[in-house]
Amino acid sequence: MKEYNVVHRFHKQFLEQPYVFFLIFSFFLMLFFTQSSPLFVLNQWVDSNAFFTVGKGMVNGLVPYRDLFEQKGPFLYSLHALAYILSQSTFFGVYIIESIAMFINLVFSFKICRLYLNWLSSVIIALFFPLFILNQTAFRLGDSAEEFAIPFLMILLFITLKHFTISPDFLFKRLEYLLNGVMVGCVFWIKYTLVGPWIGFYMAILLICLKKGTWGELFKAVIFTFSGLVLSSIPWFIYFGMNHAIKDLFNVYIKFNLVTYSMQTNFIGKIINCAIIFGNALNDNNENKVMIIIGVISFMFSRRYFKNIGQKFLFLSIILFLILGVYYGGRKYPYYFLIVAPLSLFGLISICDVFKHINKSTQLNFLKRKWFVVFGVAVISTFLCFGYNSNIQDSKLFIKEPLAQQKFAKLMNQEPNPTLLNYGFLDGGFYLTANIIPNVRYFERQNIDYILYPENMDEQNRYIKEGKVQFIVLRVKTVTRPDQLRVPFLNNRYHLISQHNQKVGEDFFKFLLYKRVN
């Protein structure tokens, strides 16, 4: 009888937890809304393909920055190296990792909600939360650096807000500082402009400690955070050190990004420009804008969520530095907003909090049928996502004819060991579908003006001149004829063997495949 009670109690507790449901829902949801899913031939986003190519190179002995020129962080590439191990010529592995990331987002959105709301309300909000992440304006085709940084941001917000619900002071635990340090390192090695929330967190801690004279707390924060940062950074220094590429890591990931990807103006100009860009990004994401404004105002001006002004200051500091980190450099790609989108959660909490005093009998009726309600909300959330994300229209369900990537891969794979150059644009997915490992450093063209970094295109032109690769892929406007191209040395050593018009996102392009004349 005792064993039965233990099993019954465990079974009941298991059903009370929504995590298994969240896991299933995450994989189901991402099946339709990221182009990395098995429903798509490939993810046509050039950034995603570049990450995958570098990850593939890592598995096959090439070193980022030294052997393959790309400018994101090594942790992001290592995630794609894992994805390559799971599937060498599809994005199935990326789909798995994206689904796990979404699962973490759901879990911590639920945990944050539980700090203020009941079980059912928290589950409902967590299930609606993906609506504000999968908004296609920022999410695009899926698999961005911002997408993989969101789970770390969610954990930071949970740690901070949970502490504030328990204690009015700022005496965080050593383990919390250590975990924050690890997360700072992870996010830094994904894309260092995304560490703004942690800068805001520690800036507030610093100012509060200075004001109160709590030097011991400040010392503890520095020591344990730095320890966590070192722990998460050591693997990369070992990896690049063993490959004699630490200089390449610094020159490309740090120096190159700072010099070429940042707007060259003074501090005040950058702040003003940052505010303008962020305002425009908000206007391009209206649903997020409404929820973020409602949430921030509610959390800042209500006594319900914070016990004192210091807590409000730390919360606001996290948000402001998040925005500054993303937009201070002056660039305004739509997908930059994705890391800001999770702030919509606070609007959902604030709105739901208004209705917490509904009739108790109504609450009991909902609770009795809670799993029916949860399933219904999941279905509604999925259908609403289709209103904000139309990626499914480019899936195998709607597009039957082969893509240029598939068509060209068949031609290239007729050769025993084909080599390829993706000329003049970011990685178009041709390395992936043909399962080709680049044999040249500048395997693609970065989105950098020639004046700022001429070496990229000078080297690509040299590869053509010297016949370094067997095949070359170009992307041009659909109205461009091959005889109108002005690519140095191309017609001297290569001839056109195939071309294909194709829609990529909202634009149409013509892809050209050239083969070396032996």
Side-chain angles (χ1 to χ4, degrees):
M1 186 67 181
K2 184 178 180 181
E3 290 182 0
Y4 171 79
N5 288 335
V6 171
V7 172
H8 179 72
R9 188 161 55 250
F10 173 79
H11 183 63
K12 184 178 179 181
Q13 290 176 349
F14 177 79
L15 288 177
E16 287 293 316
Q17 300 300 331
Y19 303 131
V20 173
F21 187 85
F22 286 163
L23 182 64
I24 296 170
F25 183 62
S26 297
F27 276 82
F28 176 77
L29 202 63
M30 299 307 285
L31 197 64
F32 301 101
F33 301 115
T34 174
Q35 288 200 1
S36 305
S37 97
L39 293 182
F40 297 79
V41 173
L42 81 160
N43 188 321
Q44 292 199 63
W45 193 11
V46 288
D47 288 37
S48 182
N49 282 283
F51 306 155
F52 194 93
T53 298
V54 178
K56 173 166 57 178
M58 291 177 71
V59 175
N60 289 278
L62 300 180
V63 180
Y65 317 120
R66 187 193 71 184
D67 302 320
L68 296 172
F69 190 90
E70 243 282 327
Q71 87 281 8
K72 292 297 192 301
F75 184 37
L76 181 63
Y77 299 140
S78 70
L79 291 176
H80 288 79
L82 175 61
Y84 171 75
I85 292 171
L86 295 173
S87 179
Q88 295 189 356
S89 57
T90 73
F91 273 93
F92 178 73
V94 178
Y95 159 72
I96 296 294
I97 297 172
E98 283 188 87
S99 299
I100 293 172
M102 179 58 76
F103 167 65
I104 297 172
N105 296 338
L106 292 182
V107 168
F108 280 94
S109 62
F110 169 76
K111 285 180 171 291
I112 291 171
C113 290
R114 285 294 284 137
L115 299 174
Y116 312 105
L117 305 170
N118 64 32
W119 186 93
L120 185 57
S121 298
S122 300
V123 174
I124 290 173
I125 289 179
L127 293 176
F128 276 123
F129 184 56
L131 273 168
F132 300 91
I133 301 295
L134 297 174
N135 186 329
Q136 196 167 14
T137 303
F139 185 78
R140 292 175 66 85
L141 309 183
D143 188 25
S144 66
E146 286 74 9
E147 183 180 353
F148 296 115
I150 289 176
F152 297 103
L153 173 62
M154 297 298 294
I155 296 171
L156 169 66
L157 292 171
F158 173 69
I159 290 173
T160 305
L161 295 172
K162 182 182 180 182
H163 179 81
F164 288 163
T165 60
I166 298 172
S167 172
D169 58 40
F170 295 87
L171 302 177
F172 285 87
K173 297 177 181 177
R174 293 180 177 88
L175 185 60
E176 291 171 331
Y177 285 128
L178 184 69
L179 178 58
N180 261 333
V182 171
M183 291 195 296
V184 170
C186 290
V187 174
F188 181 87
W189 296 116
I190 289 175
K191 184 177 179 181
Y192 65 73
T193 58
L194 303 180
V195 300
W198 287 270
I199 295 175
F201 176 88
Y202 285 103
M203 185 66 71
I205 293 291
L206 171 64
L207 294 176
I208 291 169
C209 287
L210 289 176
K211 180 181 178 182
K212 293 186 175 183
T214 51
W215 307 110
E217 178 67 15
L218 183 59
F219 180 76
K220 181 176 72 174
V222 171
I223 291 299
F224 284 93
T225 301
F226 182 74
S227 298
L229 176 61
V230 169
L231 283 174
S232 57
S233 299
I234 282 176
W236 303 119
F237 286 110
I238 292 175
Y239 171 77
F240 286 99
M242 290 177 63
N243 288 284
H244 309 288
I246 289 181
K247 184 178 179 181
D248 298 285
L249 169 66
F250 175 79
N251 284 341
V252 177
Y253 185 54
I254 306 298
K255 185 179 177 181
F256 174 82
N257 282 323
L258 285 175
V259 172
T260 59
Y261 267 81
S262 180
M263 183 179 65
Q264 304 303 311
T265 186
N266 58 37
F267 174 75
I268 300 299
K270 285 188 175 183
I271 294 295
I272 294 172
N273 193 59
C274 173
I276 293 172
I277 295 174
F278 176 63
N280 291 335
L282 272 180
N283 290 330
D284 289 337
N285 296 270
N286 288 317
E287 298 80 14
N288 297 83
K289 176 177 68 175
V290 171
M291 288 300 166
I292 290 172
I293 292 173
I294 290 174
V296 172
I297 291 176
S298 178
F299 269 67
M300 288 301 297
F301 293 99
S302 171
R303 295 181 181 179
R304 158 90 167 112
Y305 304 107
F306 298 124
K307 295 180 174 66
N308 54 56
I309 194 169
Q311 292 182 350
K312 293 181 179 182
F313 173 64
L314 192 147
F315 175 73
L316 186 61
S317 182
I318 289 174
I319 294 173
L320 290 178
F321 277 88
L322 164 62
I323 296 166
L324 278 173
V326 174
Y327 293 109
Y328 183 74
R331 296 218 166 215
K332 49 185 177 181
Y333 294 115
Y335 61 87
Y336 280 13
F337 186 80
L338 187 60
I339 191 65
V340 182
L343 299 180
S344 304
L345 178 65
F346 300 114
L348 293 172
I349 292 173
S350 302
I351 291 173
C352 195
D353 214 9
V354 171
F355 298 100
K356 68 180 180 180
H357 299 300
I358 60 174
N359 187 279
K360 288 187 177 181
S361 62
T362 305
Q363 291 186 43
L364 289 173
N365 287 332
F366 273 120
L367 286 171
K368 288 177 182 178
R369 301 174 177 83
K370 63 183 178 182
W371 283 107
F372 177 79
V373 174
V374 167
F375 182 78
V377 170
V379 172
I380 294 170
S381 177
T382 302
F383 276 103
L384 288 176
C385 283
F386 282 109
Y388 299 108
N389 185 310
S390 60
N391 280 332
I392 193 66
Q393 295 177 8
D394 294 324
S395 71
K396 299 174 186 176
L397 301 177
F398 294 91
I399 298 178
K400 303 299 182 182
E401 68 175 71
L403 300 177
Q405 290 84 348
Q406 295 171 288
K407 182 179 177 181
F408 291 0
K410 287 184 178 180
L411 294 172
M412 290 186 282
N413 287 330
Q414 291 175 4
E415 301 295 328
N417 294 296
T419 54
L420 172 66
L421 174 63
N422 188 104
Y423 181 87
F425 66 108
L426 281 165
D427 193 330
F430 297 92
Y431 293 109
L432 180 137
T433 51
N435 198 15
I436 293 175
I437 302 166
N439 67 324
V440 292
R441 186 186 186 210
Y442 291 97
F443 66 97
E444 62 178 2
R445 179 187 178 178
Q446 297 294 316
N447 282 330
I448 300 295
D449 289 340
Y450 178 82
I451 296 175
L452 292 175
Y453 194 73
E455 183 177 330
N456 192 166
M457 288 311 298
D458 287 347
E459 282 295 282
Q460 285 211 332
N461 290 329
R462 181 177 68 83
Y463 303 149
I464 296 176
K465 180 181 179 181
E466 297 177 4
K468 289 281 188 182
V469 292
Q470 192 172 14
F471 294 95
I472 298 173
V473 171
L474 291 90
R475 187 186 71 182
V476 298
K477 295 179 180 179
T478 54
V479 295
T480 303
R481 301 192 312 270
D483 60 0
Q484 294 176 318
L485 294 177
R486 295 295 180 265
V487 179
F489 316 112
L490 180 64
N491 293 321
N492 296 349
R493 303 202 63 161
Y494 294 85
H495 68 280
L496 181 67
I497 62 171
S498 186
Q499 55 185 301
H500 186 93
N501 289 346
Q502 185 166 300
K503 183 183 179 184
V504 181
E506 299 299 320
D507 302 312
F508 285 88
F509 295 103
K510 179 186 292 183
F511 292 99
L512 306 172
L513 179 64
Y514 284 79
K515 183 178 181 181
R516 185 178 60 207
V517 178
N518 294 323

